[in-house]
Amino acid sequence: MTRNRTTATRAWRNWAGTVTARPARVVTPASVEELTAAVRRAARDGLRVKAVGTGHSFTAAAATDGVLIRPDLLTGIRELDRAAGTVTVAAGTPLKRLNTALAREGLSLTNMGDIMEQTVAGATSTGTHGTGRDSASIAAQIRALELVTADGSLLRCSAGENPEVFAAARIGLGALGVVTAVTLAVEPVFLLTAREEPMTFDRVTAEFDQHVAENEHFEFYWFPHTGNCNTKRNNRSAGLAAPPGRLSGWIEDELLSNGAFQVACSLGRAVPATIPALAKISSRALSARTYTDIPYKVFTSPRRVRFVEMEYALPREAAVGALREVKAMIERSPLRVSFPVEIRTAPADDITLSTASGRESAYIAVHLYRGTPYRSYFTAVERIMTAHGGRPHWGKIHTRDAAYLSGVYPRFGEFTAVRDRLDPERLFGNDYLRRVLGD
C-alpha cells in the first residue's frame, strides 16, 4: 500500500531569492510507487507537476502552481557495480552525500562542479558542469536513468535502451518526466593537485589555449575594474595527499572567500562607488597556493555569499575575444561589478540540449551580489554572448526563447520531438519551459 505525503502549501523560493512559486500542493514521496501515484493523481486533477531539488537554479525551471514534488525521501545509493564502474543513485540524493559516500567506497566521479549542494537530478537536469579539457559535465557521466512519464509509467533509458530518450533526458530540464534514479560512471578515487596562482588579465587571456591544453582542468576568475585574475589548475597526482593546512585553508576558503568577501559585497551594494577600490583589494588578497587531495575536496568549495548569475557557453575559440569585449564594456560604462567573472571549459558531448552539445566550449559566467540590480549588467553581457552564438546555462538567468535556442542547438528538434511523444499534454510544463522550448 502506498500513501503520498502531501503537506500544506506555502510559498517556495529558490536559493537566490529570484523565484517564488505557490503550488496547489506539495508531495514528498518516499518511493517510486508513491511518486507514480502523485503524478497520476495530478493528471486526474488537471494540475501540472514539477520536481524541485535544493533550489540552486536561478531560473523558474522548477516553479509550478500545480503539484510540487520534493525528492527529500528519494535518496541514497541503490547499487554500486564495481565491475561496470557505475553507481545508481536515487534522484533526490544531494551531491555532497554522494561524493562522501563514494569516497568511503574508494570511488569518485571523474569531474564535478564547484558546489555540491544540489541534488543529483537537479544538477544533471540543468546541465551543471565544472571545467575540463577531456572530462565534461555531470550529465555527460550518466550511463542510464529512469523517470516517471506523463502516463504514470516508469521509463528506463540508456545508450542501448530507449537511446533517443537517453540523448535528451540526461539534460531534460524537467520537461520529459520526473527523474527517479541516475546511473553514473565512477572510477577508483584519485588525487588531484590544485595550483592556484594570481595572474594578470593580459597574460591569462594571451596564454588561455596553452593553459587549457596543458592542464586537465583549468579555470580562472577575472576581477572587474582591475587587470587581475586568479587561476586554478587541477591535475591528477601520483603523490601523497597534502591538503591545505587547517588554518591556511580556513583563511583562504572561509575568511577571505566568504567572510571578508561578504563584507565587501555588502559595502559595495550600499555604496557602489567603493566597488573598484574593493575589487583591487579583493583581487590581491588571495595568494598562490598548491595542495593535493581527493577530487571532491579540490573541485568544490563552500559558497556562502549569495548571488545571482548568468552564464553562457561559447565556441571555445570565441571565448577570449568575448571576454575582452565584456571587459571593455564594463570599463566604458557606469556599471560597478563586485563579483569576479568566471571562465571554464568543456569538451564537446552528445547530449541534445547540453551547452557543449557537438562543440568544444568555454563558459563565461557573470555574477552580482544578491539584492543588487542586475538587469543592466546582464543585458549588456548577454548582447555580447549572443553575438557569438552563445548558449545560456539552463539554470541561470537569461532572456532567450525557443526561436533563438533552436538556432544555436542543431538537435533542438530532436528534444522537442521526444517531449511531444512523452508529454503531449504538457503535464510537466511551466512558463519557463514554454519560453525556452515553445508549445
Side-chain angles (χ1 to χ4, degrees):
M1 178 180 178
T2 64
R3 58 186 179 85
N4 287 308
R5 291 154 175 79
T6 305
T7 61
T9 62
R10 59 182 178 181
W12 171 85
R13 291 179 178 82
N14 67 343
W15 178 82
T18 55
V19 178
T20 300
R22 291 177 173 81
R25 60 177 177 254
V26 178
V27 180
T28 309
S31 66
V32 173
E33 292 76 19
E34 287 189 12
L35 172 56
T36 299
V39 169
R40 288 176 173 161
R41 181 186 170 201
R44 288 196 304 269
D45 295 344
L47 296 172
R48 294 186 297 182
V49 178
K50 297 305 297 179
V52 67
T54 53
H56 270 265
S57 171
F58 298 89
T59 70
T64 187
D65 57 2
V67 177
L68 189 71
I69 303 291
R70 302 209 62 133
D72 306 39
L73 302 178
L74 296 173
T75 63
I77 291 176
R78 287 192 187 177
E79 182 184 6
L80 195 58
D81 188 335
R82 292 181 184 274
T86 61
V87 62
T88 300
V89 60
T93 308
L95 288 171
K96 180 188 301 183
R97 286 173 54 187
L98 174 61
N99 285 332
T100 55
L102 288 175
R104 284 196 300 270
E105 297 291 337
L107 298 168
S108 176
L109 298 174
T110 298
N111 199 356
M112 56 194 81
D114 59 7
I115 62 170
M116 53 179 181
E117 304 304 316
Q118 313 101 309
T119 62
V120 169
T124 55
S125 293
T126 54
T128 294
H129 64 91
T131 189
R133 180 189 62 204
D134 309 306
S135 56
S137 68
I138 302 174
Q141 298 169 68
I142 295 176
R143 296 296 174 262
L145 59 79
E146 65 176 37
L147 67 161
V148 174
T149 58
D151 63 1
S153 61
L154 188 66
L155 185 148
R156 294 180 174 84
C157 60
S158 65
E161 183 180 12
N162 297 305
E164 74 290 345
V165 177
F166 184 63
R170 282 174 284 170
I171 298 180
L173 314 183
L176 307 179
V178 179
V179 176
T180 56
V182 176
T183 300
L184 292 156
V186 293
E187 60 176 302
V189 72
F190 53 93
L191 292 174
L192 280 175
T193 293
R195 178 182 170 192
E196 299 176 5
E197 180 185 5
M199 196 174 291
T200 67
F201 180 91
D202 290 342
R203 179 185 167 193
V204 73
T205 52
E207 298 176 354
F208 179 67
D209 287 339
Q210 176 187 341
H211 291 306
V212 172
E214 291 178 351
N215 296 280
E216 293 175 75
H217 309 275
F218 176 73
E219 64 185 308
F220 72 95
Y221 299 83
W222 165 59
F223 293 80
H225 312 294
T226 79
N228 302 327
C229 297
N230 199 47
T231 64
K232 185 175 183 180
R233 286 166 270 194
N234 297 332
N235 291 287
R236 297 195 183 212
S237 171
L240 300 175
R246 182 169 296 182
L247 178 59
S248 62
W250 178 82
I251 290 172
E252 292 276 344
D253 297 326
E254 291 293 346
L255 179 62
L256 295 179
S257 297
N258 285 293
F261 189 50
Q262 173 81 59
V263 172
C265 287
S266 298
L267 177 57
R269 185 176 64 184
V271 189
T274 63
I275 287 176
L278 291 169
K280 289 179 173 62
I281 295 170
S282 297
S283 67
R284 295 190 181 110
L286 298 173
S287 57
R289 63 171 177 166
T290 300
Y291 55 94
T292 301
D293 215 327
I294 60 175
Y296 83 86
K297 295 185 179 181
V298 174
F299 283 130
T300 69
S301 305
R303 292 282 186 267
R304 308 195 201 287
V305 181
R306 300 207 178 197
F307 53 85
V308 292
E309 181 178 2
M310 180 175 73
E311 181 179 61
Y312 266 80
L314 304 180
R316 209 192 81 188
E317 63 273 13
V320 169
L323 180 62
R324 287 174 176 151
E325 290 178 52
V326 171
K327 184 173 186 287
M329 178 274 293
I330 292 173
E331 288 173 349
R332 66 174 180 263
S333 77
L335 293 169
R336 295 292 177 263
V337 181
S338 58
F339 251 83
V341 176
E342 182 180 25
I343 294 83
R344 294 177 287 177
T345 67
D349 64 41
D350 63 350
I351 304 170
T352 55
L353 290 188
S354 167
T355 47
S357 181
R359 74 183 189 193
E360 194 172 354
S361 300
Y363 297 90
I364 297 178
V366 295
H367 317 65
L368 280 177
Y369 184 47
R370 189 175 71 168
T372 304
Y374 63 83
R375 294 192 186 279
S376 295
Y377 177 39
F378 284 12
T379 298
V381 172
E382 190 169 41
R383 192 174 297 120
I384 294 168
M385 298 298 113
T386 55
H388 291 279
R391 298 168 177 170
H393 189 299
W394 297 107
K396 298 177 184 178
I397 293 168
H398 67 93
T399 66
R400 299 299 89 192
D401 61 13
Y404 173 87
L405 295 164
S406 62
V408 295
Y409 282 97
R411 300 175 67 186
F412 190 87
E414 291 181 40
F415 187 94
T416 55
V418 171
R419 185 192 189 203
D420 288 342
R421 177 161 65 85
L422 294 182
D423 187 18
E425 302 300 321
R426 304 298 189 249
L427 179 68
F428 303 111
N430 64 6
D431 291 342
Y432 177 75
L433 292 182
R434 184 179 301 110
R435 172 164 69 88
V436 300
L437 297 178
D439 284 325

